Amino acid sequence: MPIDIDPADLIDPHHYGVSGQPHGTWTRLRESSPVHRCEVEGFEPFWAITRHADIMEISGKPDLFSNTAGPVILNDRQLAQRRDDESAFASMRTIIEMDPPEHRDFRKVASGFFTPRSIHRLDEIVEECAREQIDKLGEEGECDFVEAIAQRHPLRVLANIVGIAREDEDKVLELTQQLFGAEDPELQRAGEDRDEAIKELGLEFYNLFNAVIEDRRANPRDDLASLIANAKLKDGSPMGPLETFGYYLIVFTAGHDTTRNAISGGMQALLENPDQLELLCKDPDLAQKAVEEIVRWTSPVNYMRRKVLADTDLHGQKIPKGDDLVMFYCSANRDDSVFDRPFEFDITRHPNRHLGFGTGEHFCLGAHVARLSSRALFRELATRLEYAEPTAPASWIESSFVVGLKHLPMRYKIRPAA
Ligand code: HEM
C-alpha cells in the first residue's frame, strides 16, 4: 500500500527552516517503508533509509555503497553548477568523498591525532575556552545562545587545532556560516549570485589555509596543522596542494557547524526538559552521558548519501546500480527497536548506541574532539547555571544536511567561576 508522506519534508532545506527535523515522516517510514524511493522536484532522486539496522549494514559495506559522489543530495542548481564549474576547486576531493583503499591511506594522515589519548593535549584549552564563554555572559541577562556561546566555543577549539590565529577567527566564522548557510537567505553572502559566492568563499578559505600550510612547512610544530602540511602518503609521495587544502577544509567545516548545532540543540533540549537540566546541575559528572544523549537527540549531521555500485536488494526493494541511498541518522536515532523510549530526552541513557557520528569506514574522525569540547561546555554550565528559560521560540537553519538552530533566545542567571 502506498504510504502517505511528502518526501520534500526529508530533503528540502526550506521545510527544515520552517519546522525542523521531520520526525513524523521518519516514524511512518521506519514502520511501513524503511527503504523508500523518493522523487522530489528540483532534487536528485534517492532511496530514504530510516532504520538503525539498515544504516549499520550499509555503512559496513563501503565496497558496495560508495562515497565518491559526495555526501549531499544536490538540487538542480547545484548539479548544473557542478557540471559547469571549471575552477581548480572542481577537482578537489576530501576523505568523505573517497572509498577504500584510497580513503584509508588519506585518513591515516590525521587519525593518530584524533585518538582519545592524543587529544588529551586539548583538555586545558578546551576547559579554558568553556570557562571564558560562560564568563562572557556576565551574572544575569538575555542572549541568543547560538550566537553567544554555541558557535564561539567550537570555533576557538578548531581554530587552535588547524592553526588559525585568534585575529582571524571572526573572518573564519563568517566564511563558515556563509558556506553552510548557502541555502538560507539570512545566512548566505549578501547581494551575490549564490554559486559565485561559494566559489569566492572557497578562494578565501584557500588563501587563509595556504598561509598556515606555508608556515607549518617552514616551522613544523607538534600539532595537526603541521601533520597535514607535511604529510606523506603510503607510497611516500606528498599530498597534492588541493588535497592538502581539502584536509584543512574538511576538518574545519565538518567540525564547526556540527558541534555548534549539537551544543545549541542540547541547550534547547535541557530548557524544554527542566528535570534533566536540574539533574545535570546537581551532578555535573553526568555531562559525559548527557553529551551522548544530546548527539542522539539533535543528530546535527542529518544524513549521508551513498551511491550503489552494483544492483542490490534491501528489504525486498531492488535497487539498481547507480542509484543513491540517503541514510537518515536522525531517524535511526529514534528507532524503537534500538532505543527504549526514543522520544524521551534522558541524559542518563545507557547504553546509547546512537549513530550521530556515523559508523564504519567513515565514522566521524573528530568524534572525540566533539565530545571533549561539548562535555567541557555543559560541565561548566552545569556548575554555574542558577537559572535559565527561553524568552522566544527558537528558529531553525534552512538546511537539510547539517541541521540545527539558527537562534535560541534565553534569559539566565550565572554564578561566577569558583
Ligand atoms: C557533534 C559534532 C559532530 C557530529 C554530529 C559529527 C558527525 C559526523 C558524521 C555523521 C560523519 C559521517 C560518518 C559516516 O559516514 O559514517 C562525520 C564525518 C567526519 N567528521 Fe564529524 N561530526 C562532528 C564533529 C566533528 C569534529 C569536531 C570534527 C573535526 C575536528 C569532525 C570531522 C569529521 C571528518 C573529517 C569526517 C570525515 C571522516 C571520513 O570520511 O573518514 N567532525 N562526522
Side-chain angles (χ1 to χ4, degrees):
M1 205 172 72
I3 174 171
D4 179 25
I5 60 141
D6 179 359
D9 284 348
L10 301 176
I11 206 73
D12 189 338
H14 183 67
H15 287 234
Y16 283 75
V18 173
S19 30
Q21 285 151 316
H23 285 293
T25 307
W26 281 328
T27 300
R28 255 173 288 152
L29 288 173
R30 278 194 307 276
E31 280 165 2
S32 321
S33 184
V35 177
H36 189 80
R37 167 115 178 134
C38 297
E39 285 187 21
V40 178
E41 205 189 328
F43 290 85
E44 300 172 278
F46 62 92
W47 295 86
I49 311 295
T50 45
R51 285 191 190 163
H52 192 285
D54 294 330
I55 295 185
M56 293 288 291
E57 186 186 336
I58 292 163
S59 303
K61 295 180 177 166
D63 296 336
L64 179 57
F65 302 107
S66 164
N67 272 48
T68 54
V72 181
I73 286 289
L74 301 175
N75 62 31
D76 291 346
R77 184 182 52 74
Q78 292 162 325
L79 275 172
Q81 190 245 333
R82 193 166 277 199
R83 253 191 324 265
D84 302 341
D85 189 354
E86 287 168 358
S87 73
F89 295 120
S91 60
M92 187 179 81
R93 286 177 320 121
T94 66
I95 52 173
I96 198 71
E97 292 145 328
M98 295 177 187
D99 289 337
E102 186 190 32
H103 172 254
R104 287 178 197 164
D105 198 10
F106 276 79
R107 185 165 160 124
K108 223 185 253 163
V109 165
S111 54
F113 174 87
F114 284 106
T115 60
R117 184 195 287 220
S118 160
I119 58 140
H120 258 317
R121 72 178 91 187
L122 301 175
D123 284 355
E124 212 172 297
I125 134 162
V126 164
E127 279 162 25
E128 185 191 304
C129 178
R131 201 170 322 116
E132 242 176 66
Q133 300 304 327
I134 305 302
D135 282 347
K136 252 181 12 196
L137 290 177
E139 281 183 20
E140 62 184 300
E142 291 186 11
C143 71
D144 176 350
F145 188 81
V146 178
E147 284 180 2
I149 305 288
Q151 69 182 9
R152 285 283 160 182
H153 180 61
L155 179 72
R156 171 69 43 85
V157 175
L158 280 163
N160 187 278
I161 291 179
V162 297
I164 289 166
R166 270 206 187 187
E167 59 270 22
D168 288 330
E169 279 181 21
D170 283 341
K171 179 77 197 156
V172 172
L173 178 61
E174 191 192 331
L175 294 181
T176 316
Q177 280 177 324
Q178 289 169 348
L179 192 70
F180 272 97
E183 303 300 314
D184 187 313
E186 190 185 324
L187 301 177
Q188 65 197 206
R189 186 168 272 214
E192 278 185 67
D193 172 80
R194 263 190 275 188
D195 300 335
E196 278 310 308
I198 288 179
K199 270 189 218 158
E200 261 186 43
L201 285 166
L203 201 61
E204 287 181 45
F205 265 120
Y206 187 75
N207 292 336
L208 218 120
F209 285 128
N210 237 1
V212 177
I213 294 168
E214 279 173 19
D215 175 64
R216 294 306 200 273
R217 283 187 178 153
N219 315 293
R221 302 182 210 166
D222 181 23
D223 65 2
L224 179 70
S226 304
L227 212 61
I228 298 175
N230 299 294
K232 295 241 181 337
L233 297 172
K234 208 164 61 190
D235 63 2
S237 61
M239 286 197 291
L242 274 182
E243 284 145 346
T244 308
F245 163 61
Y247 225 117
Y248 286 94
L249 194 67
I250 182 82
V251 168
F252 188 82
T253 51
H256 182 261
D257 287 24
T258 48
T259 315
R260 176 196 64 191
N261 295 359
I263 290 173
S264 54
M267 189 67 218
Q268 182 191 39
L270 289 167
L271 290 173
E272 286 176 354
N273 297 275
D275 60 319
Q276 298 297 301
L277 179 58
E278 201 185 319
L279 203 60
L280 182 61
C281 291
K282 271 198 191 130
D283 182 4
D285 284 345
L286 278 175
Q288 184 163 353
K289 279 191 190 140
V291 163
E292 294 308 313
E293 180 66 345
I294 284 169
V295 174
R296 180 188 80 88
W297 189 254
T298 55
S299 303
V301 174
N302 194 40
Y303 73 80
M304 283 277 157
R305 177 243 289 256
R306 298 288 191 260
K307 191 161 283 293
V308 180
L309 294 184
D311 293 353
T312 192
D313 194 302
L314 279 170
H315 288 290
Q317 295 281 10
K318 301 252 172 282
I319 306 193
K321 174 180 172 182
D323 272 17
D324 289 307
L325 305 183
V326 171
M327 305 184 292
F328 286 103
Y329 297 118
C330 192
S331 169
N333 286 342
R334 303 287 169 101
D335 188 333
D336 61 10
S337 65
V338 176
F339 301 100
D340 200 17
R341 304 163 286 108
F343 284 89
E344 244 175 66
F345 178 70
D346 174 2
I347 64 165
T348 64
R349 186 179 291 279
H350 187 79
N352 193 342
R353 285 189 287 269
H354 69 77
L355 294 179
F357 291 118
T359 177
E361 181 77 23
H362 291 271
F363 177 76
C364 176
L365 189 60
H368 298 302
V369 174
R371 287 175 167 135
L372 182 76
S373 65
S374 312
R375 207 160 56 219
L377 189 80
F378 282 107
R379 207 169 200 297
E380 186 71 19
L381 255 178
T383 51
R384 296 176 57 186
L385 195 69
E386 271 185 28
Y387 148 92
E389 65 171 13
T391 50
S395 59
W396 291 85
I397 301 167
E398 274 194 30
S399 166
S400 60
F401 177 54
V402 176
V403 301
L405 297 181
K406 188 153 58 174
H407 301 293
L408 178 62
M410 62 178 244
R411 179 180 301 131
Y412 57 84
K413 234 174 160 178
I414 305 270
R415 277 184 293 274

